Amino acid sequence: MPFIPHTEADTAAMLAAIGVDSIEALFDEVPATLRAPPLDAVPPGLNEAGVTRLLRARAGRNELPVCFAGAGAYDHHVPAAVWQIATRGEFYSAYTPYQAEASQGTLQVIYEFQSMLTTLLDMEVANASLYDGASALAEAVLMAVRLARRPGCVLLPRSLHPHYRQAVRTLTAPQQIELVEVDYDRQTGQVDLAALAALDATPIAALVVPQPNVFGVIEPVDALVDWAQERQALTIAAVNPIAMALLQPPGRWGSGPGADIVVGEGQPLGVPLAAGGPYFGFMAARQAHVRQMPGRIVGRTRDLEGRVGYTLTLQPREQHIRRGRATSNICTNQGLMVTAATIYLALMGGEGLRRVAVASHARLRELLDLLAPEGVRPRFTGPHFHEAALALPQPAAMVRDGMLAAGVLGGVVLDAWYPELGPTLLACTTEQREAEDLARYRTALREALA
Amino acid sequence: MPFIPHTEADTAAMLAAIGVDSIEALFDEVPATLRAPPLDAVPPGLNEAGVTRLLRARAGRNELPVCFAGAGAYDHHVPAAVWQIATRGEFYSAYTPYQAEASQGTLQVIYEFQSMLTTLLDMEVANASLYDGASALAEAVLMAVRLARRPGCVLLPRSLHPHYRQAVRTLTAPQQIELVEVDYDRQTGQVDLAALAALDATPIAALVVPQPNVFGVIEPVDALVDWAQERQALTIAAVNPIAMALLQPPGRWGSGPGADIVVGEGQPLGVPLAAGGPYFGFMAARQAHVRQMPGRIVGRTRDLEGRVGYTLTLQPREQHIRRGRATSNICTNQGLMVTAATIYLALMGGEGLRRVAVASHARLRELLDLLAPEGVRPRFTGPHFHEAALALPQPAAMVRDGMLAAGVLGGVVLDAWYPELGPTLLACTTEQREAEDLARYRTALREALA
Amino acid sequence: MSVARQAGEPLIFELGAPGRQARSQWPQRPERTGDTADLAAALREDVPALPAVSELQVVRHYTRLSQRNFSIDTHFYPLGSCTMKYNPRAANALAQLPGFAELHPLAPASSMQGLLQTLFELQELLAAVTGMAAVSLTPMAGAQGEFAGMAMIRAYHQARGDTERVEVLVPDAAHGTNPATAVMCGYRVREIPTGADGDVDLAALAAALGPQTAAIMLTNPSTLGVFERQIERIARLVHEAGGLLYYDGANLNAILGKVRPGDMGFDVLHLNLHKTFSTPHGGGGPGAGAVGVAERLRPFLPVPHVIEAAAGYRLAGEDDLPASIGRLSTFMGNTGVLLRAYIYARLLGREGMGRVADYATLNANYLLARLQEVGFQPALPRRRATHEFLLTLSALHKQTGATATDFAKGLLDFGIHAPTIYFPLLVPECLLIEPTETEDRQTLDGFIEAMQALLALAQSDLARLQAAPEQLPVRRLDEVRAARTLDLRHRPLPADPTTEDDA
Amino acid sequence: MSVARQAGEPLIFELGAPGRQARSQWPQRPERTGDTADLAAALREDVPALPAVSELQVVRHYTRLSQRNFSIDTHFYPLGSCTMKYNPRAANALAQLPGFAELHPLAPASSMQGLLQTLFELQELLAAVTGMAAVSLTPMAGAQGEFAGMAMIRAYHQARGDTERVEVLVPDAAHGTNPATAVMCGYRVREIPTGADGDVDLAALAAALGPQTAAIMLTNPSTLGVFERQIERIARLVHEAGGLLYYDGANLNAILGKVRPGDMGFDVLHLNLHKTFSTPHGGGGPGAGAVGVAERLRPFLPVPHVIEAAAGYRLAGEDDLPASIGRLSTFMGNTGVLLRAYIYARLLGREGMGRVADYATLNANYLLARLQEVGFQPALPRRRATHEFLLTLSALHKQTGATATDFAKGLLDFGIHAPTIYFPLLVPECLLIEPTETEDRQTLDGFIEAMQALLALAQSDLARLQAAPEQLPVRRLDEVRAARTLDLRHRPLPADPTTEDDA
Ligand SMILES: Cc1ncc(COP(=O)(O)O)c(C=O)c1O
Ligand SMILES: Cc1ncc(COP(=O)(O)O)c(C=O)c1O
């Protein structure tokens, strides 16, 4: 019996100890009417070799083109050490570290992660992860509403990834939070400051600031944060963590004390693309907000003998203590991804991470230089970070499919989300895209357009 | 600098502590005339991502047909747990367990391996591995000559894998051991008992008995061992360890006390094909022979406080103590492969291993049943274990290449080694070959012959 | 001088030195002047003060840290409600195949048919096993599954114009995520008491039901480790009141393949694939909280989920499903976890599912019987254990002062992870013990011996018990200090802005 | 009663129970009656009494056992002569790609061009780095490389009809494999003494040379951790006597990219790729002992090795190379190890090679300088350390009774693996210390502190030092008992011949 260690002798002896004569008898409290029918829809069991054969065939039916798609999931190099260590049984098969003394490994990793993340973002506190970027933003919106000095709506720029906006909507809808979308400047691709000015009279609880935004465009974060702070609104930054090694971190945005809450998608930090997950959402905030922060938090403390140790702390924020009054319903988070990201960040160091950002960015500029002679140019004038919306002369989905046939995933069809833009492909480069890949992109695009 | 942790400050401080002003100065005892020229033939360094790209491209240029080749390397299923555990850093990056207290993990694994192997073979002692099957046989030949009650030649049946015979020749040549080959019966594919009888007058130190032999044929091991023992010769069994779960183990061969020394290729026990290595050679023997056995041996003992522990033992047999008078020059062996094999054997258990043998064998019979209507039949009449020499109507290399184009590696060209057989393909099935693979074999063969 | 006890593991920051690097990880393309000229206005001035360490230091540090954990792969881990069973290593290997791990989530469906087929089959398989009409795999953990489920219930009532249903009933023994979810979904929570026999107090339930009732959230077996025998009556009562039944699937391991929530009358459920379907818990996550619904709730399923169309499998989005509660995350959920669950399900097969419940139940009942023999008190002595059971140390606590925490910490010294303690909240000094079906009898016997030894210690030398653990990398930790001092991050020295050149 | 110290790990056999199985690993095809009818006469009667355990038991047992090891990935491991440096994790990942790991060794060359090209390039690269004309990768470890090298020397002399050369010179400090190999190759060994300064005693060498001299086996730097300064003179002398020079490449890390054995006058060499090229040692192996030769020895290279032909790369066999010493193993060597070495070489690149020697040397000299400062005696006080150096505790031993073994065991309590002890044999109470280039300064400083503490302990509390280690899973082990009782295997109970049916 797969995974069940009982021998017939074991079973017999155990039944005898219990005082029943069959396993069936142990289900005597289950009404007979409720017994399940045979599970005919479930196929018979396979052995490991059989499952291996099956899954390899399935994996073989997925294509692996050279990847120029981004839009929230980025094809950075994942050092081999990251997952060889993260999948060690002691990390992989442990539960949430409820028993601190038996979980110092995981707890110290999280403490180090909190330290690295706050350093990267220049924030004061961080949690041990939320589900992903979009759901983390939803949690930040709920947190901001709890923290807000005055009631009001939450502003979501349209330059924020549409899936983030949709998830925020789904996850906050039952709490009747008013979400107001703010348009983007058709020229620059940045938040439309005029649209924002039009909201001057509206009571605002919080403003979400993406950096870079879904177009890959750098937002005027200082102006946005100052605008919000003048209106007593909180600011929630939604950032790409790799970009943070290069760009001003949210803790320094604006002329005041910076963003209040920072969230983002942790995937770029050593997590494979994996068709969308598991990734992890991160969240950092100012110290003053920590008691409204959802998610697990690890603190450093001492043991009986004065030795340093780590433990979950501020648990009264959480559902298992506070139940209906918790800061969130989250329980299981994305711990193993945080372990991976911590190892990744340690491997890269600050300078290495900066180089990844620089190289990713420089490749985009090289790609744009290659494509200009083909007549394909960025749709927006704002500065870009490693991703750009390319205006196309033909339907973007057709172009993408054409390029795919040449083994190149040319990007994400942006006009599916923003029909007003006309045919647009959102193309992204990471440090993994070598010069020959860029050349291949050009050729594939040229042929797809021909 | 890849893998070098020194900062400029470290280097400066360390040089100061040494009292020199440059690293160069540390090489002042090396004659200037000897300094190497620039290594222009070595390409500049790549980063991990670059090497990954390169090696994936190289791996992609190797074909992975459905494998029906055997001849000493077998495509059995390797459970995922085996290598996920064996490549844990603590096993993977440890040295030979010279400091027993700091190596109880590796040492206990080897002790368990010795226990499993002796159980499987029904022998009394085993070592911690030799390089591979062929070199283990060479060591066994040398050991037998040291043990031999009277000087004489060593008999190598021609039904023994030719690479084993070649390696034995290479490795024993300098010691002027007389190796005599014994022909095989053209009908049965077994050792030719008449040829053996012709040697009745020759002084014989040892007889090598392959089981199964290179043709996949089961040898009459009882008769062979009895023949040798009547002549005071030692017997060295060279066996496939998977077969040993099904067939009489060497410890029980013949009417006397069984084989003296048993060797074989450990690859079938959880080690990937990997183009030929690393594999491992195993060796077991009767207790009385242990002091002539080469290789590391682990024994169980106690610590200061009476706790059970494990340590290398009988080290005076080895080169680092006995130097020129050691039982062998072997030092580094194939330890990690033994770790993998130990995990494999534990996962399979006796019954599981037997089932692997049975299924592998049954698939061969099914394959032969499929091929008979095509007019392709085994060349030999002796009983086969999961591998058979197929007599072909056309040159075997051509047939093999034709089948390869259809994604099937149909076997190993046997007449390259045994021209007297005429076109022959040595085909093998493991438990991994499903019915659809067999059908594919038939189709590919049919087309290659067409 | 004495031989030093091996010190604790320093922080990775403390291992660093300015300028040290794991250089093989840096991009191939060297940095060139002007590379970031177009970003000048937005650039940060400093390099973030992350650890500056070598690759060996990283590998060594995190390998060593890993050894400071208990885990299924190293220890018996009978953590109640968490189903800490063996996570097949094959699932880990196969989910990491490049054909899965390197797929971009927004690549066109045509280019990932192998994945989509697999997810589609998982949807179907889970629907069959739970007796529900349809499944969406997108929720990323149990709690998000609960959110999705309760949001669907809300959407259902709203779609019918039934807008006065503002209350959700939750038994007092429920997991904290249940009330927290109900509140996140905009509901008022009303607690329903548990009867002395461990079943829901039916009278109280009947009294609580009304036109304001949107739903009841239940798990069966309950968090008390017993099967709710009145479940059919409860379903009838709630449905008659116009409410729906939500099934918290965290305890499905107890009845997998034997009883289906759909047949019990549940309208919506989530599964904890990271429990019942044996995906690893990863020291906190990730999980996957697939939701299943009865036919009438199908239109509200969260997106995306996989549908089969003429051109192959594809992801259904908000356009396809106008009544959907919407999207819960950026992409399609924790795909890598879902693959592991699928692999596990295929390894078990139809005949393996029921065996999970059989042997999980056998193990729990064996432990319960033997622990009672050696002097422990079940919280519900007249009930059959399911896959887990609840002990209470309340009498012992009154007699000796020993607490559930003391037993938890004491077990660690025996190399056994503690059971869940102080949950459910209504049973004082309780231990919720779930051995799972993958543990062998010797291991269970070792647990019984350890518990017996701790019982003796509580009675003979309480101070020693209170000082446990003794054998772990740290002794008992001061959680009060942690909450008071709030030391939540290493504070690095100011960063060194100079960087080493491309040597 | 006391809280139990966590027990040692039982043997896997002790965890088993008859009939228990890891069933997912059994073949898919069920056994059918008659499956083995054709083998009836040869069948064994019983099922071998291997452990009968579950998959979880296996995973847990071996995971726990692994934690009972020191390793590079967890501990500083300055084991002299063994070059225990960081083994890049990328090499492990890439060598296991299915395109390498699943190749059958006898598949036609045309179907494995990616592999053969890689091995060919490795041959070329190693030839360039060592200054040799040609390389064969087939030897499976250093000692097999030595065998191949000495067999080539023998073949060379024989080919020239120079059959009276029956003696091989080996310095007294040589590694044990050197004399053992010479004997395996049919030679008489003559030991050459080392001078007081650590170099070969040239006068003794000159006296030993003669028409009977087949070769000298040297490693440079020598096993004393110093560079043989007279190497050019030695080469001249030996060559003049008609002998050849064999280079034991175990210490190449010290001079990688800076000095080439070929330029020193060596005719044949082996490399320990598992040392210098950082392939993992695996708790004992596998290694790879590539051999390189000067032009005149090329015809004798062992087979197979890769050649480039019009149709692509292929393996040369005995047919191509009639003078070859022949085949050393069944297939083409430890390919998986060779791939790892290639990956490492490409990661280093030409500029990285020399840095290995630089920083390995820096680390060793730093340790030596600092250890001298705190009171340790170098074996060769007037010599520069290379990548390793030799201390002798001989004076301390006379003064206090403390031994090299005591220091070795004492270091373990500090979480540091012991250096090599009692090798080379000619220096009493010696420690051969090789930090390698991948260790950082803090780690080296920690080692110095530990050594200093042990020195103090030797002087203050010898009994305590002699009782070390205290912090490991076992205390000092009784090796005499091990050799006396010869308990070399677990003796299982008689097997149960009945087998469970296909449930
Ligand atoms: C009974 C019960 N319900 C719900 C949950 C929440 O599941 P998750 O942690 O996956 O969010 C848990 C898990 O701890 C649980 O035990
Ligand atoms: C100096 C020296 N020569 C030769 C060898 C033998 O190498 P191997 O162990 O790979 O056979 C070693 C390894 O221990 C060594 O240190």
Side-chain angles (χ1 to χ4, degrees), chain A residues 95-96 98 131 296 319 329-333, chain C residues 80-82 140-146 173-178 219 221-223 248-251 270-275 281 284 287-289 388 423:
Chain A
Y95 205 79
T96 301
Y98 291 135
Y131 301 129
R296 314 227 184 260
Q319 47 71 30
N329 72 339
I330 194 169
C331 177
T332 293
N333 57 26
Chain C
S81 205
C82 300
M140 294 188 153
Q144 210 188 34
E146 291 177 33
H175 192 263
T177 50
N178 294 180
T219 172
S222 74
T223 58
D248 173 343
N251 292 337
H270 83 264
L271 296 174
N272 286 50
L273 297 179
H274 45 302
K275 297 180 179 175
H281 206 278
E388 64 189 358
F423 172 76

Side-chain angles (χ1 to χ4, degrees), chain B residues 95 331-332, chain D residues 81 141-143 146 175 177-178 223 248 250 272 274-275:
Chain B
Y95 205 78
C331 177
T332 292
Chain D
S81 206
E146 291 177 32
H175 193 264
T177 49
N178 293 181
T223 58
D248 173 344
N272 287 50
H274 46 302
K275 297 179 179 177

Side-chain angles (χ1 to χ4, degrees), chain A residues 132-158:
Chain A
D132 79 339
S135 58
L137 180 58
E139 290 280 10
V141 165
L142 295 172
M143 175 175 166
V145 168
R146 289 193 299 271
L147 284 168
R149 273 142 285 188
R150 45 174 203 167
C153 63
V154 175
L155 303 184
L156 296 181
R158 284 194 69 221

Side-chain angles (χ1 to χ4, degrees), chain B residues 6 28-29 36 61 94 99 101-102 106 111-112 115 124 132 163 248 301 303 305 354-355 366, chain D residues 29 31 45-46 61-62 69-70 103 117 258 283 330 363 383-384 409 475 478 487 489-490 502:
Chain B
H6 298 67
D28 53 4
E29 293 190 0
R61 292 184 53 228
Q99 290 296 335
E101 297 84 357
T106 291
Y111 182 86
E112 292 184 356
S115 304
E124 290 166 340
D132 78 339
H163 287 183
Q248 282 292 2
T301 185
D303 77 357
E305 294 176 4
R354 205 184 67 77
R355 300 271 181 126
E366 291 166 28
Chain D
R29 183 188 176 289
E31 185 166 358
E45 311 78 39
D46 57 341
H61 176 69
Y62 292 104
N69 264 5
F70 279 33
L103 288 180
Q117 179 184 354
K258 301 194 87 79
T330 320
N363 276 0
R383 297 297 304 273
R384 189 68 83 193
K409 304 299 183 196
R475 302 288 303 274
D478 186 345
D487 173 355
R489 64 183 161 115
H490 169 77
D502 276 357

